[in-house]
Amino acid sequence: MTTNANQDMATTDVTVVGAGPVGLMLAAELALSGASVQVLERLTEPAAGMKAGGINVPTAEALDRRGLLPAAEKVQRELLERVGPYARTAGERAPDGTRQPTNKQDPGQREGQTQKTDGQRFTGHFAGIVLDADLVDWADPDLAGHASVDGARMVPQRELESLLADHLTRLGVPVHRGVEVTALEDTGDGVLVGTSTLGTVRTGWLVGCDGGRSTVRRLAGIGFPGTDPELTGYMALAEIEDPSVLAEGWGWTPQGAYRYGPQPGRVVAVEFVAPPADRSAPVTLEELQGSLRRVSGTDITLTALRGEASRWSDNARQAAAYRSGRVLLAGDSAHVHSPFGGQGLNLGFGDAMNLGWKLGAVVAGWAPEGLLDTYDAERRPLGAWVLDWTRAQIGVLRGDPKSAALREVLIDLLNTPDGATHAVKKISGVTQRVDLPGTHPLTGRYVPDLWLSDGTRLVDHGHHGGFLLLDRTPNSTFTHLAAPWGSRVHAIPDDSPSTPLAVLVRPDGVVAWATDTTDPSGLEAALHQWAGTPS
């Protein structure tokens, strides 16, 4: 629900600042845990600029675990019906002479993301080197084990925000728009938040999901070290006087890189120049056209913008800490980088899923504050990897001869089955892992597709947001052991002879413990570590 900015604010357990996908999903997870939560958003309306055009596997599976997969699949179907089929020209060469792999693409997907003709296979790109879906080993266990969400991967950020806003409305979480945070004070037992229109808001915890220029991060005094930008990029849908001037797909020149497609009018320009002083200023038609002309070496003429264009850079930074007392950070507030590979939205979404149930457990009182230390410990390494993954692509994109030679080497490697499969697994997120104790190969991984004998899937039982315990022993050995945690751990008996024999899944989808035998070793320790003291 959205409220007017002059409405009185009651004290809540948690206040989330920022109503993007990360803030909305975090608020929903907190609500499912029983916490009272509210969202403050500076903008009076959702941002209209072009942003992420799709989601990765962990994000889609997070929606699936909360019963939101059908809505996400509906978004994808409607998008394809609205835009229609579109196949890019295969085998073109970039202006600098480098090759591009041959593949077909559908419209509306994230930059470089590809899809096989069955409508279910997504790949991606590395520095504009598009990965060929036909080369990928889709039978690889990591990919085959996470295929249930393929029908919900083409969900643009604006549609995702709308979907999550509806989810919050059903949960009764208020979203207060037109409210800007101006000050904060951590009192030790809560946070006093100064606002532009509501006076001082009292809250137990404050989470900044307010973007790369986070006011919450700045007011909390949390450092933001990293590397400065060296390029400026643009993305937009535009009316083009003569689209044939631009070759379809990615192209590289000494001035930068550009892309036309996959849908008519969609353009990307990447130029190795510093961002303008006022990076928040709207992108003008003339600014976009000038950049596109310089990097493409053409006299391309844009006649109009269809919606707002977006401007971005390769500024790559990670917060010195994800938590300071009762103030926490998630999403772009905790890390920023270039959008190459579409990792930003998904990285932040993972933050929300990881932090939501943990902060909710602390608020509920069944977990100590020390549980929040695992949020930084588990999410920081992945954030650092994403920053380096995007930095590497900038090195490949530069217009100098050495970068052009490196692109040729990478194209050859990525145009092999092993290279394409490895890159797709990285981009899709199916290999993400948390360092947890235990020797089972599933421990620390996101739970794969696990079908039960009654025709349901394990994730179908996780819409409430708690722990799941799959028990396939004949005498329910593990269910009996977990009985003292029954208010937090939902045990699902299953008589399927498949493995794993038992698996304990945290609310964020991470496998905390698993076994292929009837040996209960490790389960009780995992329950104590993650599900707290028995209830």
Side-chain angles (χ1 to χ4, degrees):
M1 64 182 70
T2 301
T3 67
N4 296 325
N6 60 2
Q7 182 173 336
D8 290 337
M9 305 283 285
T11 300
T12 57
D13 294 325
V14 184
T15 296
V16 175
V17 180
V22 176
L24 296 176
M25 192 63 187
L26 174 62
E29 291 298 287
L30 288 163
L32 285 175
S33 73
S36 61
V37 57
Q38 63 190 357
V39 180
L40 308 183
E41 169 55 52
R42 176 180 58 85
L43 299 177
T44 56
E45 298 291 340
M50 286 191 69
K51 296 186 178 180
I55 57 179
N56 71 359
V57 169
T59 299
E61 289 183 334
L63 298 176
D64 192 11
R65 285 193 302 276
R66 298 301 177 256
L68 302 175
L69 185 64
E73 290 177 330
K74 182 173 182 288
V75 168
Q76 176 164 308
R77 288 195 304 271
E78 291 176 346
L79 180 63
L80 291 175
E81 291 170 358
R82 183 169 68 248
V83 180
Y86 181 86
R88 63 179 287 272
T89 302
E92 68 255 12
R93 296 181 70 86
D96 64 359
T98 54
R99 299 188 305 277
Q100 294 200 68
T102 298
N103 66 290
K104 294 183 178 180
Q105 294 181 311
D106 278 337
Q109 57 215 52
R110 186 165 52 248
E111 289 305 316
Q113 192 177 55
T114 63
Q115 185 177 14
K116 289 187 70 169
T117 54
D118 63 4
Q120 297 298 319
R121 303 298 194 189
F122 295 89
T123 57
H125 76 93
F126 186 91
I129 304 169
V130 181
L131 302 168
D132 189 343
D134 291 330
L135 290 173
V136 177
D137 178 12
W138 298 105
D140 182 286
D142 287 328
L143 294 171
H146 295 270
S148 291
V149 296
D150 281 343
R153 299 281 305 285
M154 196 184 298
V155 181
Q157 182 167 329
R158 289 182 64 181
E159 282 76 3
L160 179 61
E161 288 183 10
S162 177
L163 185 156
L164 294 175
D166 290 343
H167 182 44
L168 278 193
T169 296
R170 291 190 295 270
L171 292 171
V173 175
V175 177
H176 306 281
R177 290 192 169 272
V179 181
E180 188 167 1
V181 172
T182 58
L184 67 83
E185 178 187 357
D186 187 337
T187 62
D189 59 352
V191 183
L192 300 178
V193 185
T195 71
S196 58
T197 55
L198 298 168
T200 299
V201 173
R202 298 178 179 273
T203 189
W205 298 83
L206 181 70
V207 186
C209 301
D210 52 338
R213 300 170 206 169
S214 170
T215 299
V216 172
R217 185 187 63 240
R218 176 177 56 82
L219 293 174
I222 299 174
F224 206 37
T227 52
D228 293 330
E230 56 180 289
L231 63 76
T232 300
Y234 301 91
M235 182 166 61
L237 281 174
E239 299 291 343
I240 303 175
E241 186 174 277
D242 184 7
S244 65
V245 172
L246 295 177
E248 296 167 355
W250 280 93
W252 302 276
T253 72
Q255 286 70 41
Y258 71 93
R259 179 188 176 101
Y260 176 58
Q263 70 193 85
R266 185 166 187 166
V267 292
V268 175
V270 181
E271 196 171 5
F272 279 86
V273 295
D278 183 8
R279 288 183 291 171
S280 62
V283 178
T284 65
L285 183 70
E286 293 73 22
E287 180 183 359
L288 174 62
Q289 177 177 274
S291 180
L292 192 57
R293 284 182 171 182
R294 288 188 292 271
V295 298
S296 69
T298 70
D299 59 354
I300 186 73
T301 297
L302 308 181
T303 58
L305 293 176
R306 287 149 48 188
E308 292 184 15
S310 62
R311 182 195 299 111
W312 43 270
S313 77
D314 62 320
N315 183 36
R317 300 182 179 278
Q318 188 172 32
Y322 286 13
R323 177 193 174 196
S324 175
R326 285 181 169 258
V327 179
L328 300 107
L329 305 175
D332 288 351
S333 301
H335 36 69
V336 295
H337 51 83
S338 79
F340 284 110
Q343 298 289 333
L345 165 63
N346 298 295
L347 180 61
F349 216 83
D351 293 345
M353 297 303 297
N354 190 291
L355 176 60
W357 74 270
K358 293 175 180 177
L359 182 54
V362 172
V363 169
W366 58 261
E369 282 192 26
L371 179 64
L372 296 176
D373 295 336
T374 67
Y375 166 58
D376 191 304
E378 292 180 0
R379 296 302 298 174
R380 178 172 296 277
L382 182 59
W385 173 82
V386 169
L387 262 65
D388 284 343
W389 182 262
T390 58
R391 286 184 180 118
Q393 294 180 73
I394 303 306
V396 176
L397 279 169
R398 292 192 182 104
D400 60 273
K402 292 180 180 178
S403 292
L406 178 58
R407 279 197 298 274
E408 280 289 296
V409 173
L410 282 175
I411 287 171
D412 285 341
L413 290 173
L414 294 175
N415 207 25
T416 66
D418 286 346
T421 301
H422 174 79
V424 168
K425 287 167 63 173
K426 287 288 189 180
I427 292 170
S428 67
V430 297
T431 60
Q432 292 180 12
R433 185 165 195 160
V434 175
D435 186 15
L436 299 182
T439 59
H440 194 279
L442 285 182
T443 302
R445 301 286 291 269
Y446 284 108
V447 62
D449 299 333
L450 293 176
W451 290 87
L452 310 183
S453 58
D454 63 1
T456 66
R457 297 169 303 143
L458 181 61
V459 296
D460 294 331
H461 300 267
H463 297 176
H464 60 288
F467 290 81
L468 298 177
L469 176 62
L470 174 62
D471 186 354
R472 287 171 166 161
T473 58
N475 55 358
S476 301
T477 300
F478 303 113
T479 299
H480 294 313
L481 193 153
W485 287 268
S487 63
R488 299 172 211 139
V489 180
H490 178 41
I492 301 101
D494 180 48
D495 58 8
S496 169
S498 306
T499 58
L501 192 64
V503 58
L504 176 67
V505 183
R506 301 189 325 192
D508 58 356
V510 172
V511 175
W513 170 88
T515 184
D516 294 331
T517 73
T518 57
D519 183 1
S521 299
L523 175 57
E524 188 170 1
L527 288 166
H528 275 286
Q529 179 179 6
W530 300 113
T533 304
S535 55

